[in-house]
Amino acid sequence: MHAEPRLPMEKAQFFKWSERQTRRLELANGRPILPEEHSRAHSAICTKIVFQLASMLDTRRYSVIGGRFALETGPRSIRLPDVMVEPYIADNAISASDALLHRRGALALDDACRLSREARQYKGLAALGSYVVCAQDEARVWLWTRSNGWPDAPEVLEGPDAAVAVPVLGITLPLADIYRNVTVRDE
């Protein structure tokens, strides 16, 4: 077991300390936190979204990243979105610090356990155009889209006939595709 870190921590200290931990951690206002555990439905939803995004977007312009890469959401906060789209930059042009810490996300996607906790931090990112949160137990999505600023409340999309429009990327993700073959709660 590793000694508890001195709190609050700066980002560089957090990355160094977290390398010795057995689980991926986030940093919230200088304090390490454990992200929520994920279900099979959660993994299936994320995989479908990554596949859809990768097939819809021009890979010369955008990178689709799954696997919870670090995204800087504030001066002392690092979050691990489940899926992120960012402008493409060749691997040899990415600095060592950016290899772990992303700052350029155009779209970030998380699960519903993060709904209230992180929306405000994500909305503070200058480059982010949309923040999407997906329920794991029903076909429901909360969507924040920047348009002359961020809305106070998300748009709530429900049911298989709904679709997530992402204007910054010029795409639409149908909920029927996101939730296909995922066990959801009966209506």
Side-chain angles (χ1 to χ4, degrees):
M1 184 159 170
H2 298 287
E4 288 296 312
R6 194 176 211 143
L7 299 176
M9 334 173 63
E10 299 301 321
K11 283 180 262 191
Q13 179 187 7
F14 168 74
F15 278 122
K16 187 173 182 173
W17 175 79
S18 66
E19 287 174 356
R20 297 184 310 273
Q21 306 310 305
T22 57
R23 292 198 50 202
R24 298 271 326 253
L25 298 163
E26 295 180 319
L27 187 66
N29 198 25
R31 299 188 181 281
I33 59 171
L34 276 173
E36 300 290 328
E37 290 291 324
H38 295 298
S39 67
R40 183 178 182 91
H42 171 88
S43 294
I45 291 165
C46 290
T47 300
K48 289 169 197 261
I49 291 171
V50 166
F51 178 77
Q52 287 179 28
L53 290 168
S55 67
M56 293 176 164
L57 295 172
D58 181 351
T59 57
R60 295 168 296 184
R61 294 186 60 208
Y62 297 104
S63 295
V64 179
I65 301 169
R68 304 176 62 85
F69 282 84
L71 181 63
E72 183 177 37
T73 57
R76 293 190 311 165
S77 294
I78 306 293
R79 296 297 185 177
L80 305 172
D82 296 312
V83 178
M84 185 174 59
V85 175
E86 66 179 3
Y88 173 77
I89 296 176
D91 285 344
N92 60 358
I94 297 175
S95 69
S97 63
D98 272 348
L100 290 175
L101 183 61
H102 295 266
R103 296 180 175 92
R104 304 171 304 280
L107 167 74
L109 185 135
D110 273 319
D111 63 49
C113 67
R114 298 162 175 257
L115 185 59
S116 60
R117 185 172 74 199
E118 297 178 11
R120 190 175 79 243
Q121 288 183 2
Y122 279 104
K123 288 170 27 179
L125 297 172
L128 193 66
S130 294
Y131 177 55
V132 180
V133 175
C134 296
Q136 296 179 44
D137 61 349
E138 61 183 321
R140 178 183 296 194
V141 170
W142 294 265
L143 170 65
W144 287 264
T145 301
R146 185 193 311 255
S147 174
N148 296 322
W150 289 99
D152 291 330
E155 178 181 2
V156 180
L157 306 163
E158 299 178 89
D161 296 331
V164 178
V166 185
V168 69
L169 299 174
I171 62 170
T172 301
L173 301 169
L175 267 63
D177 292 341
I178 293 171
Y179 288 93
R180 181 170 288 123
N181 297 329
V182 175
T183 303
V184 295
R185 180 177 70 209
D186 290 332
E187 301 297 327

